Every structure is written in C-alpha cells, then in structure tokens.
C-alpha cells in the first residue's frame, strides 16, 4: 500500500529564506507526483506536476524534483514571502489506470515579515 | 481562467438526512474526481469518472453514490448522513485520465448535526 510522508509537519522561516519541503513515498512505482498549496479552509491549488519520467519541474520561485528510485520529492521555494504561508501537500498517482491521488499530510509553512 | 465550480459551498444537515453535492468541471475537462478531507486530515479519494463511466473507486461508503452526466458535471449523493461525514468535499477535474493534472474546486463544507 502506497504511503506518502511529508517532513517537517510545520516550518517557520523569516522572509527571504530559501527552503526545502520534503515528500517521501513507499512504492517507487508511481505514475506522477503533484504538489499542491492549501490555504486554511480553502481548496487545493496545483503548483507543479512531475511525470514519472521527469526529474524536475520549475514554475517561478518553485522547483520540484523527483527521485523515483529513492522514493523522494522535494519542493524548493526561493526567496520566501509572507504570502507563501500555507500548507503544502504532495500527492502521488499510483498508475495510469489508477487515477486516485494519494496525499501526504502536508507541511504547514509560516513565513514571517 | 475558468475553474472547477462546486455547489453548494456550505451545507448543514441533520443525521440520517440526505445531501447532494454538485461539481462542474473546467470546460473541456472530461474526468472528475471526488475527495473527502476530514478536519486536520489529508484528502482521501472517493471516486472518479471518465466519459460518464466510473474509472476508479476509493474509500467511498456504500451510503454514497455518484455519477457523471452528459455535460460532464458530476453529483455526489450522500444518504443516511452520519456525524463522521462532516468534512470538506472536493471535486477535481482533468483533461482526460491519462494526463491527470488534477485541478481542484473550492470544496463543499458539509456539517452534519
């Protein structure tokens, strides 16, 4: 059974810092991995999607990497801003046939000004 | 850009009542997914549809049913509601099940009293 773990559960940093959020999964046979942002009580905003054949994806100040063999993904946020404060969730899709996303419990980020 | 629309946004029901949640996918998206997020929990996959056919099934209780209509909107029907059904219910959509970058709606917050 695929399990997704995110460490740390919470992170507080001052504005301007570069930071890394970690995601690990137990079964390396994934189809793709998606990073989301969730603000309190709100929906999930898709940040980056990495297909299983890719090593990384970039969007603005965000860079996500994927190492399938070790079952790990990282989300790198450059020059953090208070507006980045939110919970970041990673989710893996098991296979092309199985469409469900399996989520980690998220990392809650707080960026202070 | 148009996003996933969910209605209602908030719903309060009594135990043993029924509820119907609606989801309107992004235009041209033909695949919809339903997730349940309990308080402080990660989203759990319930069910998905592609071209009006069920494509994947997760931990959806037998008291729940869902369908996708010819215009691709979807409805989640919940009967004999229990206190434990109180949660945020998200609908997501994608352009086909193979690419599967899932875009989430704002969610329906269901409270069962």
């Amino acid at each position: 059974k695929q399990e997704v773990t995110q460490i740390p559960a919470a992170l507080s940093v001052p504005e301007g810092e570069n930071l890394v959020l970690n995601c690990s999964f137990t079964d390396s046979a994934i189809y793709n991995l998606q990073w989301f942002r969730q603000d309190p009580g709100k929906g999930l905003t898709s940040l980056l999607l990495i297909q299983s054949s890719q090593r990384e994806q970039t969007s603005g100040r965000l860079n996500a990497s994927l190492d399938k063999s070790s079952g790990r993904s990282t989300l790198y946020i450059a020059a953090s801003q208070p507006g980045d404060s939110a919970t970041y969730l990673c989710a893996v899709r098991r296979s092309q046939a199985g469409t469900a996303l399996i989520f980690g419990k998220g990392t809650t980020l707080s960026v202070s000004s | 850009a148009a996003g996933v629309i969910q209605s209602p946004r908030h719903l309060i029901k009594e135990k043993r009542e029924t509820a119907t949640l609606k989801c309107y996918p992004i235009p041209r998206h033909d695949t919809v997914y339903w997730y349940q997020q309990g308080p402080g929990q990660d989203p759990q996959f319930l069910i998905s549809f592609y071209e009006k056919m069920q494509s994947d099934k997760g931990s959806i209780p037998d008291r729940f049913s869902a369908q996708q209509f010819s215009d691709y909107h979807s409805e989640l029907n919940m009967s004999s509601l229990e206190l434990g059904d109180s949660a945020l219910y998200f609908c997501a959509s994608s352009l086909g099940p193979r690419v599967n970058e899932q875009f989430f709606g704002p969610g329906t917050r269901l409270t069962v009293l």
Side-chain angles (χ1 to χ4, degrees), chain A residues 30 66 104:
Chain A
I30 66 169
L66 174 64

Side-chain angles (χ1 to χ4, degrees), chain A residues 12 14 16 32 42 64 67 74 79 102-103:
Chain A
S12 293
N32 61 36
K42 304 291 186 182
D67 184 343
T74 61
I102 300 167
F103 284 83

Side-chain angles (χ1 to χ4, degrees), chain A residues 87-105:
Chain A
T87 296
Y88 292 81
L89 295 150
C90 77
V92 301
R93 177 178 171 182
R94 296 167 296 178
S95 65
Q96 180 175 329
T99 61
L101 290 177
I102 300 167
F103 284 83
K105 297 196 179 301

Side-chain angles (χ1 to χ4, degrees), chain B residues 45-102:
Chain B
F45 173 73
L46 295 178
I47 197 167
S48 63
F49 293 88
Y50 167 61
E51 287 289 348
K52 297 166 293 210
M53 299 288 290
Q54 179 182 309
S55 57
D56 200 0
K57 187 174 181 180
S59 52
I60 183 169
D62 292 340
R63 299 177 290 107
F64 294 5
S65 65
Q67 58 181 325
Q68 184 182 31
F69 296 86
S70 57
D71 63 350
Y72 298 122
H73 94 272
S74 178
E75 295 182 355
L76 177 66
N77 299 292
M78 312 160 70
S79 62
S80 303
L81 287 169
E82 302 174 355
L83 296 179
D85 296 329
S86 296
L88 259 175
Y89 290 83
F90 290 110
C91 173
S93 73
S94 70
L95 186 59
R98 295 182 69 181
V99 174
N100 195 38
E101 179 171 6
Q102 297 186 19

Side-chain angles (χ1 to χ4, degrees), chain B residues 2-35:
Chain B
V4 176
I5 297 171
Q6 291 187 247
S7 68
R9 295 291 310 278
H10 302 272
L11 190 58
I12 299 175
K13 291 287 185 178
E14 300 279 343
K15 278 188 344 182
R16 293 180 288 278
E17 285 190 325
T18 61
T20 297
L21 309 185
K22 297 185 178 183
C23 168
Y24 298 87
I26 292 171
R28 296 190 302 279
H29 281 196
D30 52 13
T31 307
V32 295
Y33 315 80
W34 287 97
Y35 291 83

